[in-house]
Amino acid sequence: MSNLAILPILLPFLAGVLVAFFHKNLIASRIFSIIATVIHLALTIFIFMSVQESGTYVLEVGGWEAPFGIVIVADPLSALLTMTTAVVATAAVIYAPKSLSRIQEEFYFYSFFFLLIAGVNGAFLTGDLFNLFVFFEVLLMASYGLIVLGNGKAQLRESLKYILINLFSSMLFVTTISFLYSVIGTVNMAQAAERVGEVEQQGVLTVIGILLFFVFATKAAVFPLYYWLPSSYTVPNAVVSALFGALLTKVGVYSILRTFTLIFNYEVDLTHTLFIYLAMFTMIFGVIGALSTNNVKLIIAYNVIPAVGFMLMGIGIFTETSIAGSIYYLVHDMIIKAVLFLLIGAVTYAAGTSDLKKMGGLIHHYPVLGWMFFLSTLVLAGIPPFSGFIGKLLLLQGGLNQEEILIVIVALISSLGILFSMIRIFIGGFWGEADIMDLPKQKPSLAAMTWPVGILLSLSILLGVGAEMFYPAVSSIAEYVMDPELYIESVLKE
Amino acid sequence: MILPVLLPFIIAIFIPFLSKWKEKFHTGIVVTIVPLIIFIYFASFFAGGFSAVTKTYNWVPSLNMNLVFHLDGLSLLFVLLISGIGTLVALYSIYYLHTTENLGNFYVYFLIFMGSMLGLVLSDNVYALYSFWEFTSLSSFLLIGFWNHKHASRYGALKSMLITVFGGLSLLGALVFMHSITGTTSIQQMLADSEAILNSEFFPLILILLLLGAFTKSAQFPFHIWLPDAMEAPTPVSAYLHSATMVKAGLFLVARFSPMLSSSEWFFIIVSSFGILTLCWGSYMAVRQTDLKGILAFSTISQLGMIMAMLGFGTKVAVFAAMFHILNHATFKGSLFMVAGIVDHETGTRDIRKLGGLMNYLPMTATLAMFGVFSMAGFPLPFLNGFYSKEMFFLSSLDLSGQGDFASIVASLVPYLAVFGSIFTFVYSMYFFFGTFRGRANLGKLPKKPHEAPVGMLISPAILVLLVVIIGLFPSFINEPFISHAATAVYGADASKDIYFWHGFNLPLIMSLTVVAFGTILALTIPRWSSVYSYVPGVLSLNKAYDFTVDKSVSFSSKLTRGYMNGSLALYMKLILGAIILVSFAFFFLTDGFAIDTSQLASVTTIELIVAVTMAIAALGTIFTNNRIAAILILGVVGYGLSMLFIIYRAPDLALTQLIIETVTVALFLLVFYHLPSLNSRGESKPAKISNWIISIGFGLLVTTVAISSHSSKWFDSISSYFVENSYKLGGGDNIVNVILVDMRGLDTIFEITVLGLAAMAIYSLIKIKNKKEE
């Protein structure tokens, strides 16, 4: 059964390779891709269910026992995140044909897409730090491929910054792993946790931890390392932006969550307090960014940042409640960010512009799109009873239980800022006189774009209204995460 | 009890379908029935003596977030108001809104609001309360923006949303705080455990957060500015949300928590003074308005202030009067809004400067307005309910005794301010009535020829006016079963009270008479003293402050963001590196992380030294050269030096690999760099150069110190001994590196190959797409 653990990596990997062989045959590529993502979705749901039931699956790849070989660890947290990834991927692959140009689709979109998923799943599932680096490379290289897909001038310009900053962080990553290896002599995460624990994270270990944090924080777009994000998320196609917004930063957040609950949890007063402050600035600057522009795509892209602040806040507060909040927020954010990027893709497609100043009255022509956008605004801003609220509530509770007043107040004000930035799009773009924009007589149908988004959005609403179905699981995952012994034992049993 | 709360939401789902037949069958007819059913349901609780009921419906029990409905005197008062006024407003809207309007949307918002408002006042669970609270704000936003083709509608909608959601979020803060302190999410249990909250060191913060929620929602000074702009909503909405129900949610909140809060001196000081200030400011500003609905909006602000002040007083009389006035205000203000709607509907304008003399054209409407207006003014007549509560307000303002210094100052000022505010209340009431219905008619200025409204439109205001009179004549009719229950729930102990018209010739009556006397004089002479508005508020305006804040928050954001997000990679890298250097070094010092241990070091041979020095010099050389080609060649030296080191340390395969990679990259770089401009073309300023230097050296220093410290802290045996032992035994290969690469860590290798494949595909597609585009 433990072989199951690696399937979420292998399946998209193989799919990505296979689909490259008939990339010119679009019909076949699409059908193949949809089938593969649906199987992948079913698989990840199955893994999540069985992990819930019978505990963590650990696969020692190639039969090389831990801690010497590479381990793939499907624990409840990883299983939850791969499942969410699969949900987002399914919606994206259905949306893609309408959004991409023929040439983009032909030139390996599906391969890049599947390998991106493979990389993301790999990062969630691996129990080995160096292997994590490898999967980071995979998902980054796939994202490079996606970001330049179509070969636009702006794409090339922004991708250069994206590539260089991420390359730098990869270099720092591999260097830091070697430092850590020098001190504790292992790259297996469970053993690293054990050994760091044995020496109580003394000496240089905390600094190494902080360097690792910066590596992940660059991917996660934490203050002050997020500069690469906003522009580079707006230049590619909507479906690519959705994948980026939903998955890439979350891999960074996950890595911070994993390493700073499992391995580096002995200098919490220092490291996690730093996280709280950085979370605060991440929220503030993210919201300021979201308010700074009239480019609707950019508004959505900036909104990725404060969400990262919320999740980091929970890690920084470091209690079961707050970690549960972060995890809930993580899942919520993966879905709603996909929704928003896909929706804004449809909005700009319908409006023919992404400049808010040139928009208006869209709701009279596209009521479904308008109301979906309004609802997702509420979800994003954490209005109850939608999914954003549950995570936010847990984070606020966690914060106040620890008497972290300042971050709680900043979080509340940020929520208002997020709402403001989004409602500006609704008021400016959707409200107004019906004939304010010079829309073509033959309005293009958006159905192919809206229904996959509709499913995601309903899921997002369900995640809030039906929180009782999900929260107990998230709560037990948080409990599990806060007890690193469980992870260590399941990897290094005997 | 869940069904009546959910009913509006359930019906709302069907409204879009129903509205398809709106031409034949006005959607409002169905919508009128919904609150009527709810009203009857809740009214049935009177039968057989009323006592509080609590019902729990699980929603998210694992988060203590459930629908717990607590029906006591206070919530009963509110649910009856919501459903009762709701019925009348829905009925009125049938005649007010033409079928060409988007009725589907209107009634969906309307029902969502009604359901949320019912949920709000019934919820005992704080999170459910908050959820409903935000939903009332959102439905209000949508209703204000109903005619969103108008700029003013959009402006008003945004304003109300920003201010009320701001309040909502601070309310959430207060609720989470109280949950965290008491460990319960039930309001009733929090009230039972109020000592814990009152003694908490965070109590002042909780109080402020809670009151911010209440004040923004109930349009208290200085947050009242959203309410006048909310008048852009269709008039039924103004009557319902923005005078009778939603704006009273703040009052409800304060009332709900007042058994706990009223023992705090600061609660008295803050709530009383903001309330009384709002009363004065609202009534003073109402006289300045020219829009009928504007007058009513400021009037509502002022009346809300009065009720808020009474809740702040917290005495038995005050609480009783507050509850009484919540009801009275809903009756007379509801009818007046409907009157304003009729005037607008029948004349085409609400501008009081164009109106006048309508008594002859709309006699029924004028009669209804008269009762409403005089009740609002608190005119001492035994058939006007407004007089009773106004009288009690005066009474309660007189028996205040502040305990602290500050509280006693507030207490001593209250009666004077109460009279001041009431004088202006009288003035704007007269201004509203006489300006519209008396004086000379000026039909030429009116867009439409005025005539009496259809009967259907008059029914709802007539019923409300009837209530004004009935309550006025038989106050005990609603007192015993209704108001005293509500007052008791708020006061915390029995607060029933008898209502009399005649109290004898006492101070409150003198105050009332003063109000009438001064009010009449001022009302007759408005043009003579209206220049006072150019001094107070003069050019100062809270609206300008709001506009300034909103505009600035956008323009400041774009200025700040554009300042550092300028697209320059060099700047981004500087900021990123700077942050990493600063924080990492700080942690070095904080954790005392530096270590150096030379005992394990081997001695350095001459060859090693030569190679190392060459590499170092070459590395430095790349920085100082201005020529790309030279730089890449010098960089090659570093690479070849590295392969030399591999040879020295007896790793010939690595050395070979390194040599090949180095050769290939140098060759490739040479090809590419040939096409790039020369390096020295970008001139950097001196400060920029200096900061570059600092950051480069800093980062180099950081990596070096961590490297030295890591090397000096080898606390564990490395797992590499396992590879040495087992690479032949288990892996079947003599070359350990090979076994690691293809077997022990084969997964890494597969995916590194994938990375290369991906890069190849990306480049291939770039080139192909470029060629296709050029075709």
Side-chain angles (χ1 to χ4, degrees), chain A residues 13 31-32 37 41 106 132 162 183 185 252 257 282 290 294 311 321 332 340 360 363 366 405 435 459-460 469 480 486:
Chain A
F13 169 68
I31 293 172
F32 174 83
T37 42
L41 177 63
E106 266 179 8
L132 179 64
Y162 175 83
V183 178
L257 177 63
T282 309
N294 282 316
M311 293 174 251
T321 315
H332 141 80
L340 282 171
I363 201 155
Y366 300 100
I405 312 290
D435 52 356
L459 193 66
S460 202
M469 288 188 273
Y480 160 84
L486 294 174

Side-chain angles (χ1 to χ4, degrees), chain B residues 395-469:
Chain B
L395 183 66
S396 65
S397 73
L398 289 169
D399 67 348
L400 294 176
S401 53
Q403 280 169 353
D405 285 342
F406 200 63
S408 52
I409 296 172
V410 173
S412 60
L413 282 175
V414 162
Y416 300 101
L417 291 169
V419 171
F420 175 84
S422 302
I423 290 174
F424 277 94
T425 305
F426 191 90
V427 176
Y428 72 68
S429 301
M430 298 307 123
Y431 171 57
F432 177 88
F433 180 73
F434 289 95
T436 312
F437 294 103
R438 297 310 305 263
R440 196 180 309 131
N442 204 339
L443 298 185
K445 280 189 183 170
L446 298 178
K448 281 199 215 166
K449 186 171 161 20
H451 54 79
E452 186 58 270
V455 182
M457 238 178 161
L458 289 169
I459 296 174
S460 296
I463 292 173
L464 287 172
V465 165
L466 206 61
L467 278 172
V468 167
V469 177

Side-chain angles (χ1 to χ4, degrees), chain B residues 316-342:
Chain B
K316 199 166 138 184
V317 191
V319 166
F320 185 87
M323 293 303 115
F324 193 25
H325 200 69
I326 284 176
L327 174 68
N328 293 343
H329 177 249
T331 56
F332 64 69
K333 188 57 64 62
S335 65
L336 287 176
F337 262 109
M338 292 180 185
V339 163
I342 291 173

Side-chain angles (χ1 to χ4, degrees), chain A residues 3 25 79 104 153 310 330 450:
Chain A
N3 281 335
N25 186 341
Q104 287 173 321
K153 222 173 198 168
F310 275 96
L330 192 56
T450 42

Side-chain angles (χ1 to χ4, degrees), chain A residues 113-345:
Chain A
F113 162 80
F114 279 117
L115 290 170
L116 181 81
I117 302 296
V120 169
N121 282 346
F124 286 147
L125 286 167
T126 184
D128 186 285
L129 274 173
F130 188 81
N131 194 237
L132 179 64
F133 164 75
V134 172
F135 281 117
F136 267 28
E137 293 290 283
V138 173
L139 69 91
L140 284 173
M141 194 50 85
S143 68
Y144 302 153
L146 287 169
I147 204 172
V148 295
L149 192 65
N151 200 352
K153 222 173 198 168
Q155 282 176 304
L156 289 175
R157 186 186 61 229
E158 294 308 325
S159 67
L160 186 69
K161 292 169 207 163
Y162 175 83
I163 291 171
L164 285 176
I165 290 181
N166 279 297
L167 214 56
F168 165 76
S169 99
S170 296
M171 274 158 51
L172 186 60
F173 192 8
V174 82
T175 317
T176 312
I177 292 174
S178 70
F179 291 151
L180 188 64
Y181 181 75
S182 162
V183 178
I184 58 172
T186 187
V187 288
N188 177 291
M189 281 154 62
Q191 196 182 26
E194 203 175 49
R195 289 187 166 182
V196 169
E198 265 173 56
V199 293
E200 291 180 337
Q201 199 182 325
Q202 57 171 301
V204 74
L205 279 171
T206 306
V207 178
I208 292 176
I210 285 299
L211 286 178
L212 265 188
F213 166 77
F214 276 117
V215 170
F216 301 143
T218 314
K219 316 273 180 204
V222 173
F223 174 89
L225 312 149
Y226 56 77
Y227 315 107
W228 55 272
L229 184 140
S231 301
S232 65
Y233 275 29
T234 53
V235 288
N237 190 283
V239 64
V240 174
S241 303
L243 287 169
F244 284 15
L247 304 178
L248 294 191
T249 51
K250 310 311 177 283
V251 174
V253 173
Y254 159 80
S255 306
I256 297 172
L257 177 63
R258 182 63 93 194
T259 43
F260 282 86
T261 51
L262 180 65
I263 305 176
F264 299 102
N265 53 11
Y266 293 86
E267 287 283 357
V268 177
D269 283 347
L270 285 175
T271 50
H272 291 59
T273 309
L274 171 75
F275 299 167
I276 292 183
Y277 282 100
L278 291 183
M280 206 149 73
F281 286 112
T282 309
M283 291 178 198
I284 295 171
F285 279 89
V287 168
I288 288 178
L291 288 174
S292 70
T293 170
N294 282 316
N295 179 338
V296 290
K297 280 183 168 180
L298 203 53
I299 295 177
I300 306 292
Y302 268 113
N303 264 310
V304 172
I305 299 168
V308 171
F310 275 96
M311 293 174 251
L312 187 61
M313 166 183 171
I315 303 173
I317 292 164
F318 202 55
T319 61
E320 246 173 64
T321 315
S322 75
I323 294 285
S326 286
I327 296 172
Y328 215 101
Y329 209 96
L330 192 56
V331 173
H332 141 80
D333 199 55
M334 285 168 85
I335 296 174
I336 195 63
K337 284 290 141 58
V339 167
L340 282 171
F341 277 107
L342 294 179
L343 273 181
I344 216 70

Side-chain angles (χ1 to χ4, degrees), chain B residues 111-228:
Chain B
L111 287 170
I112 289 177
F113 166 74
M114 189 191 297
S116 317
M117 192 69 204
L118 287 170
L120 196 170
V121 297
L122 283 169
S123 287
D124 182 50
N125 185 294
V126 288
Y127 297 126
L129 179 135
Y130 171 70
S131 308
F132 289 122
W133 181 281
E134 291 294 39
F135 259 74
T136 58
S137 297
L138 290 172
S139 43
S140 160
F141 164 80
L142 293 170
L143 284 165
I144 298 170
F146 180 63
W147 285 317
N148 62 57
H149 55 272
K150 292 196 287 180
H151 175 260
S153 273
R154 300 198 294 271
Y155 174 81
L158 178 66
K159 197 175 193 177
S160 81
M161 173 180 252
L162 286 181
I163 294 177
T164 53
V165 170
F166 163 74
L169 286 166
S170 73
L171 169 66
L172 176 64
L175 297 177
V176 177
F177 243 131
M178 292 195 283
H179 175 196
S180 159
I181 291 170
T182 59
T184 173
T185 53
S186 152
I187 296 176
Q188 293 305 319
Q189 283 172 35
M190 282 178 183
L191 294 181
D193 195 14
S194 52
E195 285 304 307
I197 296 172
L198 290 170
N199 295 331
S200 153
E201 56 174 318
F202 299 113
F203 177 71
L205 188 59
I206 296 174
L207 183 68
I208 290 170
L209 290 174
L210 191 77
L211 291 179
L212 271 177
F215 286 180
T216 47
K217 195 84 165 180
S218 279
Q220 298 296 296
F221 185 90
F223 306 108
H224 65 277
I225 50 169
W226 67 268
L227 192 59

Side-chain angles (χ1 to χ4, degrees), chain A residues 64 128 130-131 150-151 161 164 168 181-183 185 195 226 288 292 302 371 384 397 401 431-432 465 468 471, chain B residues 59-62 109 127 135 148 179-180 557-558 561 564 567 577 710 714 717-719 743 745 748 766 773:
Chain A
W64 294 97
D128 186 285
F130 188 81
N131 194 237
N151 200 352
K161 292 169 207 163
L164 285 176
F168 165 76
Y181 181 75
S182 162
V183 178
R195 289 187 166 182
Y226 56 77
I288 288 178
S292 70
Y302 268 113
W371 291 118
Q397 284 175 349
N401 286 338
W431 276 1
V465 181
E468 188 60 26
Y471 177 67
Chain B
W59 174 25
V60 192
S62 53
Y109 309 155
Y127 297 126
F135 259 74
N148 62 57
H179 175 196
S180 159
S557 299
S558 39
T561 305
Y564 70 94
L577 287 173
S710 304
K714 288 190 186 300
D717 293 333
S718 152
I719 52 168
D743 194 345
R745 299 194 67 93
D748 284 347
L766 265 181
K773 274 185 180 168

Side-chain angles (χ1 to χ4, degrees), chain B residues 426-743:
Chain B
F426 191 90
V427 176
Y428 72 68
S429 301
M430 298 307 123
Y431 171 57
F432 177 88
F433 180 73
F434 289 95
T436 312
F437 294 103
R438 297 310 305 263
R440 196 180 309 131
N442 204 339
L443 298 185
K445 280 189 183 170
L446 298 178
K448 281 199 215 166
K449 186 171 161 20
H451 54 79
E452 186 58 270
V455 182
M457 238 178 161
L458 289 169
I459 296 174
S460 296
I463 292 173
L464 287 172
V465 165
L466 206 61
L467 278 172
V468 167
V469 177
I470 291 174
I471 297 172
L473 287 175
F474 313 105
S476 58
F477 182 69
I478 49 108
N479 178 4
E480 177 49 34
F482 202 41
I483 303 296
S484 51
H485 280 306
T488 305
V490 178
Y491 188 61
D494 181 43
S496 54
K497 203 175 150 18
D498 289 326
I499 312 172
Y500 297 116
F501 173 65
W502 181 249
H503 288 275
F505 200 74
N506 56 7
L507 201 49
L509 187 63
I510 296 174
M511 289 161 91
S512 278
L513 294 176
T514 317
V515 167
V516 174
F518 276 93
T520 314
I521 298 170
L522 283 179
L524 289 171
T525 57
I526 290 176
R528 299 214 187 152
W529 55 267
S530 59
S531 58
V532 69
Y533 289 104
S534 57
Y535 300 104
V536 180
V539 289
L540 293 175
S541 143
L542 286 163
N543 280 315
K544 277 186 198 151
Y546 163 85
D547 292 341
F548 182 80
T549 316
V550 170
D551 292 347
K552 274 291 154 190
S553 74
V554 173
S555 65
F556 167 79
S557 299
S558 39
K559 215 170 178 181
L560 178 72
T561 305
R562 254 180 243 144
Y564 70 94
M565 297 292 288
N566 61 356
S568 148
L569 182 66
L571 178 67
Y572 297 169
M573 281 312 290
K574 263 189 220 177
L575 292 170
I576 290 174
L577 287 173
I580 296 178
I581 296 165
L582 275 180
V583 174
S584 305
F585 271 120
F587 270 76
F588 243 125
F589 288 110
L590 288 170
T591 58
D592 200 12
F594 186 71
I596 184 155
D597 175 13
T598 49
S599 63
Q600 299 281 317
L601 298 182
S603 55
V604 182
T605 63
T606 328
I607 296 182
E608 284 166 8
L609 197 68
I610 294 170
V611 175
V613 170
T614 317
M615 284 170 75
I617 292 173
L620 281 173
T622 57
I623 303 171
F624 289 104
T625 179
N626 282 331
N627 185 318
R628 284 182 199 270
I629 306 284
I632 197 63
L633 288 174
I634 303 170
L635 194 62
V637 174
V638 180
Y640 290 124
L642 190 63
S643 38
M644 282 293 285
L645 287 178
F646 281 135
I647 294 170
I648 295 168
Y649 300 132
R650 279 169 287 172
D653 46 349
L654 286 184
L656 211 57
T657 318
Q658 180 69 29
L659 270 176
I660 294 167
I661 289 173
E662 209 51 47
T663 312
V664 172
T665 41
V666 168
L668 279 177
F669 273 134
L670 283 176
L671 285 174
V672 174
F673 279 13
Y674 176 76
H675 296 283
L676 292 180
S678 71
L679 261 178
N680 48 6
S681 56
R682 65 176 177 163
E684 276 192 314
S685 66
K686 207 162 186 192
K689 271 189 178 156
I690 292 172
S691 70
N692 286 351
W693 273 99
I694 294 173
I695 285 172
S696 311
I697 293 173
F699 199 73
L701 216 58
L702 175 68
V703 175
T704 313
T705 17
V706 183
I708 292 173
S709 306
S710 304
H711 186 76
S712 310
S713 327
K714 288 190 186 300
W715 295 317
F716 296 94
D717 293 333
S718 152
I719 52 168
S720 60
S721 54
Y722 174 90
F723 300 131
V724 178
E725 278 167 29
N726 292 302
S727 83
Y728 186 72
K729 218 163 47 183
L730 298 173
D734 285 324
N735 186 326
I736 303 171
V737 174
N738 283 358
V739 176
I740 292 176
L741 282 179
V742 299
D743 194 345

